[in-house]
Amino acid sequence: MSTFAMSEILPEVVGFLGSGLLPMFIGGEWGPSAEGRRFPTRDPGTGDLLAEVAEGGLIDVDRAVRAASIAFRDSGWAVMPASERRGILYRLAELVDSHAAALAQIESLDVGKPVRQAAGFDVPNVAQTLRYYADLAANTPLRQPIAADRCEAYTSRTPYGVCAFVLPWNFPLMLLGWAFGPALAAGNTVVLKPAEDTPLTSLYFCHLAHQAGVPPGVVNVVPGYGETAGAALAAHPGIQHMGFTGSPEVGRKIAAASGANLVPVKLELGGKGAAVVFDDVDVAATAGALVSAVTLNAGQVCCTATRWLVQESILDEFIDRARHAFTGLSIGHGLDPHTDMGPLVSRRQMERVLGYIARGREEGARVLLEGGPDTVPETPKGFYVKPCMLMGMPDNVCAREEIFGPVAYVMPFRTERQAIALVNQSPYGLANSVWSSDIDRARRVAESMIAGNSWINAHNVFRHGIPYAGCKLSGLGGGVLGPDTLLDYLRPQSIVRPL
């Protein structure tokens, strides 16, 4: 375990991480992998070992899917009234709240993000998601009349069965909530393959699910690598619904595996978000807000604003204000309460980000703020990268591809039409924002940008009840957080009686 963290973390967390091999959770029981394999998970702030985790494979995935299938058939979870499931999910949400400090520290240690971010947003969001979908399910009629000639007809909705999820490392706990919340509230059972870099909060969550009274087999977590456990789960013939969050490259493989089994799939993929900044904004406030957006979770956010389109008349002032905001950030270990931006999740990710910065410069980007590796004196072996700000042409690699780090790419524009064209030339379509005091113009531009989400005078806005989804390379199969997401996990069936 990290020597830096030892003096900082709660006894509850020390006990969890220091319990030896962290097993997988299948059918309500903890156990090692069938082949006895394990893998390390490390503190990104120090590079030190946090824990060793059971590494799942084909046999373990099959066990988990079978356990979830049996639980769907026999545990009563699928057929109990939604109001009863609501009671259990509310108890689970209360346990998330009561263990929030421990969850936030585990998430911070595993991902590297500042603990105050995990405590202030990630963990509370999980409890809110569980309550939101528990309430929605309890108040959603499962029968909907159909107007049909000479027939009594209606649509009946029932849970699919086993829902599988492969989730990424940037928001492992929050995205678990976004996946499990609607799937469980609808009456499905779930199997999760968490990211190998960040499996810890998913396993800790299983302890809370057990305490809340979730029946054995309803929740299953199999840690492992994507090419083995993840691929086995996506291709398993026993699942009825697939969800994946991650890169478009892996998303295509997940979609192909799901298509082979004719299983519905929900994909939330990458992004290359744009922020269009007009010359009637408060320049200092807008620059500060976008710096906060691009450094949230060290830039490892798929929907964040990494392309900054700034109207020419305020370009110089905006760059100066943004540079000042960047240099005022405190970079450090996630458990340091003064940290504004923590490390990247792994050495591999750090090298990826540094490689993009180098390529962007080679392709002619002008450096507005030098990025590069950073060293935190207390934790010199951590995976730290200083924020970087570049400016150049829209065909530069840093303007086109998702970097997943604290790198902003500035492009000037003159007219509204030019700005919209620059935004929409991206193959991604997840989230963009427009910044202007002219609300009519802001709405017009927001509606013209091709994406699942357009925000006005803000970025990274997530509210329960507002659908969040992507288009183009950013995803398909329906979004998350909205009321329609619950219906995505309920299979429609027509019931007809001729008259």
Side-chain angles (χ1 to χ4, degrees), residues 159-160 163 165 182-183 186 188 241 266 485-491:
Y160 276 92
C163 295
F165 299 97
N188 299 282
H241 198 286
K266 183 188 290 286
T485 307
L486 178 71
L487 301 182
D488 289 340
Y489 292 98
L490 289 165
R491 177 179 58 81

Side-chain angles (χ1 to χ4, degrees), residues 274-286:
V276 179
V277 182
F278 286 97
D279 60 7
D280 59 352
V281 299
D282 181 324
V283 177
T286 303

